[in-house]
Amino acid sequence: MKQVKHRNSTSKVLGFCLAVMLAFSTSIFAQGDPVAGKALFNSNCAACHKLDKKMTGPALRGVVDRIDDKDWLYSWIRNSAKMVKSGDPYAVKIFAEYNNTAMTAFPQFSDADIDNILAYTSAPKPVSKVAVASIGSDSSDDGVSVDIVLGLLALILVVLAAMLFMVTKTLGNLAKQAGVEVEKTDPIWKRFVKNQFLVLVSVIAFMMFGAFHVFGFFMQVGVDQGYKPVQPIHFSHKIHAGDNGIDCKYCHSNARVSKTSGIPALNVCMNCHKTITEVAPETADADYSKDFYDKQIQKLYKATGWSESDQAYTGTPEPVKWVRVHNLPDFAYFNHSQHVTVGGVACQKCHGPVEEMEILEQHEPLTMGWCINCHRDTNVKTEGNEYYTKIHAELKKKYGVDQLTVAQMGGLECGKCHY
Amino acid sequence: MASNKKYWKSVEELDTNSIVETLQQSEFVEEIPVGDFLGDKETLEDSSTTRRDFLKYVGFSTAAASLAACEGPVIKSIPYVVQPEQIRPGVADYYATTIANGYDFASVLVKTREGRPIKIEPNKMAGSNGGTSARVQASVLSLYDNMRLKSAKVNGAITTWSKFDADVTKKLTELNGAGKEVVLLTQTFASPSTTRLIAEFKAKYGNVRHVVYDSISESAALDAFQEKYGERGLAAYNLEDADVIVSVGADFLGDWQGGGHEGAYAKGRVPKKGKMSRHVQFESNMSLSGANADLRVPLTPSQQKVALAKLYGYVTGGSVGGKLPANIEAAVKKTAAELKKAGSRAVVLTGIQDKGAQAVCLVINEALASKAFNTATPVKLRQGSDAAMNQLVADVKSGKIGAVIMAGVNPVYTLANGEAFGDALKKVDLTVSFTEREDETSAYVSYLGAAPHYLESWGDVEFKKGHYSLTQPTIKPLFDTRQFQDSLLKWMGSTESYYTYIKSTWSTGFLSGSSWNKALHDGVLVTPVVAVDAQEGDVVSSEEAPVSNIGSAVAKLAKATSKGMELTLYAKTGMGDGQMANNPWLQEFPDPLTRATWDNYITMSQADADRLGLSLEQSTFFTEARHDANGGLNGTYANITVNGVTLKVPVMIQPGQAVGSIGMAFGYGRKAGLKTEMQTGVSAYKLYANANTIQNVTIEATEGKHEFACLQLHNTLMGRGDIIKDTTLEVFNTKDARIWNPKPMVSKDHVMIPVDSPDADLWTSFDRSIGHHFNLSIDLNSCTGCGACVVACHAENNVPVVGKTEVRRSRDMHWLRIDRYYSSQDSFIGDVEKKDNITGLGSSLVEFAELENPAENPQVVFQPVMCQHCNHASCETVCPVAATSHGRQGQNQMAYNRCVGTRYCANNCAYKVRRFNWFLYNDNDEFDFNMNNDLGKMVLNPDVVVRSRGVMEKCSMCIQMTQKTILDAKRDGRAIKDGEFQTACSNACETGAMTFGDINDHDSDVYKLKNDERAYHLLEHIGTEPNVVYHTKVRNSNEA
């Protein structure tokens, strides 16, 4: 391998060369195809390198500006460990700078491939679009028209009532002037009181109305449907499960084997977020800016005690106190694995379209009636499960059905959930 | 026409201007002093609160409070930052470990949830030492004891371990220089690694003496064994191999010689092919072993010695003198004949604390060539030497000793002259004690090392020679504690941890190629016996002269006599030697025989009590004497004096107690390091002079009435042979099952039909033939009454502890009780005959009253009773809110959140197994037990609800366990094998008396047991069709 010993030998030569290189850099390195380079970069390099930020390895934008020797780059990329071993000073320096982590060797890359990648890394940094947060712009537009209509109607009614009052008064005055004896009538409330039937009907109506609402009020006590608390870290299920299509059980792996689905341990987050230090600019939307999301990732680092600059854990984590959304009372036993693994029930059946929720909320009431209704309707997944073979055959004969509901299997008994 | 008459109350009314007129006008006689309150205008005007405002505030705050109450609380959840690989929230992990606290030794499995140990299960791979007693089951709660010593202390002040080490090593080096002796006073560790470690410690510090001390000594047996076989240990008995078991004062179903015999014993007690073992017990106190015996002969301790000598004589064919009452003499003679007939399938055990007696016992077993008797693999669970301890006490008193380092012992409490020893300790230069709590000894010691609980420790145990077991931590130490062994290593200047030390002991020693990880996983390792083990503790020759001539030893035994009353000290099933006295589960655990909780007492025969004026009259309708109106049992007090030490102790009348003897339990009367509630009873160690459990005693009545808290107030069955079916082996073998296990008949249309025929049924029967149908089978033959199931149920189901006063009011919460019945005649069969022969009013008045009193030497039977899970349950039909209902799998289910507490179900339950939560037993200072602090609550099973005040609760047949088994099988997609279904009680039962399973699986054990000819149901005639089935007790009364 060619040794690039001359590089640091004389600064003047270097400076001159650099100037020449820079002058021709586009012509020299732009031979590659930046589009093909991007694909290669993302599939091979992105795990450790970013363009503008240090990660496991150095930031790569403009790497060709830092390292003029193309052959050195070729051999470094194909097998960096060998270069370190041979004692190349720059290679050793880089190796030491990044915690003695050897870069993966890519012997399969052709010169053209490497050129493509380098072309991609040489592309100028895009001017970041400043995301202008549009606050309260068009979200309230729809409501205004309705309000105006209602307001107008109210106004008309008031005007009409006033007119009616004035008409009666004028008529009364006219009659008085004309000397017509107007029969004095009782005020309306007196007449209402005198009408026993009306009183009775309205009392009954009022009581029924009251009872309905009191019952309704008590029935929703302890039912937290729609509960949507603010979490210490704004974790978006929409981005993770929706946009990125991560399987629920990747993070909530406990749901497969345990009674609890488990709030994932933060080390699970760090599986990805060690490398994903910021969101893509496209992730930002009108409500939440990129800056906002990036701050959430920083919160995760703080919680796990991850130091981005050192690429190491500081050892002083600050565990996150999540606010629990779905909460069953202690006297109800619920087992996730029973439903997820044995029953094959989709998570969304009880948790709603989580993949569309920016902020997680309780989608279903989680009341006993709700559980029971599902047990009545849902068929047990007996196929291929040897546990059910005998029971299924016998129950099939007994009930004369092919499919058994959970209720027919005894899923409505009190003791199945309450002990 | 209406009368115009006017009535007046007094003559003043006639006078028009009288005061009467004035009074009639005013509502109150005196003027209401409104002026004082409202008349002060200034105050009223200064106050900014008007009446209307006041009402507004009241209204608003009431409304706000009620609205706020409806708001759900915000619940925070904190996940792991880095989740340990082995831990999955919600899934239990099991680890094999070993308890070895110097008194209890067992190889166990520990169930942990989210890293917390919550339950002790038996280690079924471990063989004879894998069973869990009530104490072992309860030991998990001692881990979460708030009274534990939480950090090291010097002279009462908290210190750091580094300071502690620096001080101790400095002093040790000084003492070494000065040539003063250092003493290690330890419990029996039975640990090869500790023995090796102490040997190395001796090498380092030169003048070191190691004294092993057992709180309840087995020194006599150890000395006798050592003398005969050259190795310090106890003979290993496998009672499964014995057809005739004769015990002279040995409570081998209790803690005799380290315990652990019930599993093997019970195997021979179930009649198979018409055969079962025969068990004869000669004893003074009524013990568990005596209660299970086929023939129990009550006799005083000195008579026991004579009886043993005579047994020797009859078995070996010599003639032995000595006097015994004729009936005992005859029993001994017959027993000896049985022994000889059974030959090598017979065994003799003795618990007499006398080297001669122990030696004679060994010789008898050798003479019989007993197969159940094994001296090649001696038991190592007791190593203490009385001679060494006596020597140490003398040396400490004379000031010869430079340092005493104690571990796992509490001599100030357990020595008869404990305080004197403590005072002597104060003069020793360096005193160190490793202890789990600030116990009695701690007050006399300058350095207190906080020792971890065994669930936080590493260790190894050699149960029997070649039978090893490992202790591993199952939780990170809760407090700043450190093991004795780790400290020794530190003081020796080693950087090694005790864990690596054990590992090297094993790999260089007996692991011999097998895997360490496998041994740790299994918890046990059995190796072929190699050379003689290193002895634990220094070699000290016994104080008694060697038993050179067995003949003279026998002659000495035969001469044993006693003038007055004799006291036998014993260990209770629940409390043991008392080191777990701060454990509320054990305090509330009812003694299997007296059924008393939270107490110790002297047990005395009715005859002696009458003679000494210690018996209370029977209560009548008008008087309260023996029982209070609420049923609580009362007792008198006696002053008992042994060697000049007098104690005031309550007296409990114990049927079967030998006349002329009394008994008293160790382990009570502790104060130091215990909550006030747990400071119960009187310490019997004060009477334990010369470490001899048998003492001469003088008794005199004294004033005062003691209130016992007993769980069972009636003692006999009154001849109700359908509750306990009881027969003899002879009848069982020769007669039809319909004779000794008759099916109850009921009358329908004046025709008698069996109660279980469909015609006798009021109810429509459900089809339970599909899926699982659980049954629990309880064999009264193999149930020894040990009570492990009671504590296991407590731990599994979060059963609350209610305290002594509540137990006395019969408000105990045990879901599972073990009823103990005495016969009123000599046998239960005699009771039935007596009852059946009662005719006429006169006879029934007298004879029923007689049946209420237990016999002097009654037969005893134990019957575990929990919810019977009746298919036609009487409780279910009376619940107004349908809180209790029946499941298809046979379980009677109880929905606590639905229960409104009418208690109709408890009233209607024929078995009285339902328990009502009279109070809130958690977070309530009135019930300051484990559920009242965060530490104690860590033991709670997260799969079972903690019940609140006002709801009924009862045995659920461990539905959380059956449901888990089903779910595991579903998840794995497999059928369930027999034996997978367990309840807490059946799993804890070492004797196999409780078998649980699915009767729809016709290959299962429980299906066979249910259809066994011994099977019957409790109160079968009422037609409740329970899912718990009992097995008729068969007694081997055949005298061979």
Side-chain angles (χ1 to χ4, degrees), chain B residues 590-884:
Chain B
D591 184 83
L593 286 151
T594 62
R595 309 282 282 131
T597 60
W598 298 92
D599 233 336
N600 75 336
Y601 33 76
I602 52 172
T603 54
M604 187 180 275
S605 66
Q606 183 71 54
D608 282 335
D610 288 340
R611 186 171 58 82
L612 294 162
L614 289 167
S615 177
L616 289 172
E617 292 292 308
Q618 289 276 13
S619 300
T620 65
F621 188 79
F622 306 103
T623 59
E624 280 183 8
R626 189 176 290 179
H627 294 282
D628 273 357
N630 67 2
L633 179 71
N634 299 320
T636 53
Y637 280 105
N639 278 332
I640 60 171
T641 310
V642 173
N643 292 333
V645 182
T646 304
L647 298 176
K648 185 181 173 186
V649 196
V651 178
M652 172 78 83
I653 308 296
Q654 174 68 60
Q657 179 80 34
V659 175
S661 76
I662 60 170
M664 185 173 172
F666 289 118
Y668 287 83
R670 289 190 65 182
K671 298 265 186 297
L674 262 64
K675 276 189 186 169
T676 350
E677 288 85 351
M678 314 288 171
Q679 297 174 8
T680 53
V682 184
S683 175
Y685 285 110
K686 297 262 180 293
L687 314 177
Y688 192 35
N690 304 319
N692 197 341
T693 48
I694 295 156
Q695 303 284 348
N696 286 314
V697 64
T698 52
I699 307 169
E700 57 180 30
T702 181
E703 81 289 351
K705 189 174 85 174
H706 185 78
E707 298 192 330
F708 290 109
C710 288
L711 288 192
Q712 188 177 344
L713 297 164
H714 57 280
N715 291 320
T716 67
L717 267 177
M718 304 287 289
R720 281 175 286 207
D722 51 349
I723 291 177
I724 303 280
K725 290 195 180 173
D726 178 287
T727 187
T728 64
L729 187 63
E730 194 189 352
V731 173
F732 173 75
N733 282 339
T734 52
K735 302 265 169 62
D736 191 274
R738 274 171 298 184
I739 308 284
W740 48 266
N741 185 13
K743 181 81 44 193
M745 306 291 268
V746 288
S747 162
K748 194 195 177 202
D749 300 335
H750 307 289
V751 179
M752 295 305 273
I753 54 170
V755 69
D756 59 352
S757 84
D759 288 341
D761 216 338
L762 194 67
W763 310 93
T764 359
S765 256
F766 291 99
D767 178 16
R768 291 197 176 81
S769 60
I770 300 172
H772 307 293
H773 184 183
F774 299 121
N775 262 217
L776 176 64
S777 153
I778 300 172
D779 194 332
L780 299 181
N781 256 43
S782 40
C783 176
T784 61
C786 73
C789 49
V790 176
V791 182
C793 175
H794 240 281
E796 173 70 29
N797 292 304
N798 302 337
V799 176
V801 172
V802 298
K804 189 176 176 182
T805 30
E806 288 297 299
V807 171
R808 192 173 153 83
R809 290 182 183 131
S810 306
R811 289 175 182 174
D812 64 290
M813 296 300 285
H814 294 99
W815 283 9
L816 193 175
R817 62 172 196 262
I818 303 181
D819 284 335
R820 176 271 303 127
Y821 295 108
Y822 297 125
S823 64
S824 170
Q825 302 296 299
D826 289 341
S827 68
F828 286 102
I829 297 166
D831 283 5
V832 177
E833 280 166 9
K834 179 163 180 164
K835 183 202 75 178
D836 289 345
N837 292 333
I838 291 174
T839 48
L841 181 66
S843 146
S844 56
L845 279 177
V846 177
E847 289 179 32
F848 272 123
E850 282 169 7
L851 273 173
E852 277 184 34
N853 296 321
E856 201 154 279
N857 180 29
Q859 276 189 347
V860 188
V861 73
F862 297 104
Q863 183 176 45
V865 181
M866 67 295 289
C867 174
Q868 302 288 303
H869 296 274
C870 314
N871 285 340
H872 296 160
S874 42
C875 52
E876 289 165 14
T877 48
V878 293
C879 180
V881 291
T884 184

Side-chain angles (χ1 to χ4, degrees), chain B residues 299-447:
Chain B
L299 73 182
T300 63
S302 45
Q303 286 169 346
Q304 284 175 26
K305 289 184 183 170
V306 182
L308 184 68
K310 293 213 169 214
L311 265 185
Y312 171 82
Y314 289 129
V315 169
T316 56
S319 80
V320 172
K323 270 187 190 155
L324 281 175
N327 61 332
I328 298 176
E329 175 78 45
V332 171
K333 202 167 177 179
K334 263 186 189 162
T335 306
E338 285 176 48
L339 278 174
K340 273 170 95 172
K341 192 177 169 201
S344 67
R345 293 198 63 84
V347 70
V348 178
L349 319 168
T350 185
I352 302 168
Q353 290 303 311
D354 177 273
K355 197 165 82 172
Q358 294 292 341
V360 168
C361 180
L362 295 175
V363 173
I364 297 176
N365 284 322
E366 282 205 341
L368 290 167
S370 171
K371 278 186 185 157
F373 173 72
N374 181 347
T375 54
T377 58
V379 174
K380 301 280 189 179
L381 303 183
R382 295 288 186 270
Q383 295 288 320
S385 160
D386 292 346
M389 191 60 196
N390 290 341
Q391 183 65 43
L392 176 67
V393 172
D395 288 352
V396 167
K397 281 184 182 161
S398 65
K400 269 207 238 161
I401 307 293
V404 178
I405 300 169
M406 290 178 272
V409 292
N410 185 8
V412 173
Y413 170 65
T414 56
L415 282 174
N417 50 353
E419 269 92 22
F421 179 66
D423 290 334
L425 270 183
K426 280 195 164 171
K427 289 177 215 137
V428 175
D429 293 339
L430 172 66
T431 45
V432 187
S433 176
F434 283 86
T435 174
E436 281 182 39
R437 66 185 63 251
E438 284 190 71
D439 54 20
E440 288 76 1
T441 308
S442 306
Y444 298 91
V445 169
S446 38
Y447 289 86

Side-chain angles (χ1 to χ4, degrees), chain A residues 254 257-260 263 265-267 322 324 327 331 335 337 385-388 399 408 413 415-416 419, chain B residues 75-77 79-81 88-90 772 887-888 893 897 943 945 959-960 963 966-967 970-971 973-974:
Chain A
N254 248 6
V257 292
S258 172
K259 75 188 240 194
T260 61
I263 298 173
L266 299 182
N267 63 339
W322 299 102
R324 192 165 169 160
N327 187 40
F331 54 71
N335 194 308
S337 69
N385 192 333
E386 216 174 291
Y387 170 79
Y388 289 112
Y399 290 115
Q408 282 166 324
E413 291 176 3
K416 291 290 166 75
Y419 42 77
Chain B
I75 300 167
K76 296 282 170 83
S77 293
Y80 286 103
V81 172
R88 279 188 171 278
H772 307 293
R888 187 188 290 162
Q893 302 167 346
N897 43 316
D943 289 338
V945 178
I959 191 167
Q960 72 279 6
Q963 285 297 95
I966 293 171
L967 177 55
K970 280 179 186 171
R971 212 163 40 217
R974 59 178 170 82

Side-chain angles (χ1 to χ4, degrees), chain A residues 347-408:
Chain A
C347 306
Q348 283 81 352
K349 179 118 194 207
C350 306
H351 292 288
V354 172
E355 67 281 357
E356 292 164 15
M357 293 181 192
E358 181 66 32
I359 300 172
L360 191 82
E361 64 170 274
Q362 185 180 322
H363 189 262
E364 298 289 343
L366 305 188
T367 55
M368 189 171 111
W370 172 80
C371 292
I372 290 284
N373 282 341
C374 190
H375 280 188
R376 286 198 179 107
D377 301 339
T378 311
N379 287 328
V380 179
K381 222 178 89 187
T382 52
E383 323 76 59
N385 192 333
E386 216 174 291
Y387 170 79
Y388 289 112
T389 318
K390 194 176 150 210
I391 303 172
H392 183 231
E394 286 170 350
L395 282 178
K396 218 162 85 175
K397 212 158 66 194
K398 183 179 173 187
Y399 290 115
V401 286
D402 198 41
Q403 286 284 317
L404 292 160
T405 64
V406 180
Q408 282 166 324

Side-chain angles (χ1 to χ4, degrees), chain B residues 27 36 48 101 122 212 244 270 276 408 413 546 598 630 638 654 771 942:
Chain B
E27 190 179 354
D36 296 353
S48 56
N101 60 18
V212 185
V244 175
V270 180
M276 64 183 277
Y413 170 65
W598 298 92
N630 67 2
Q654 174 68 60

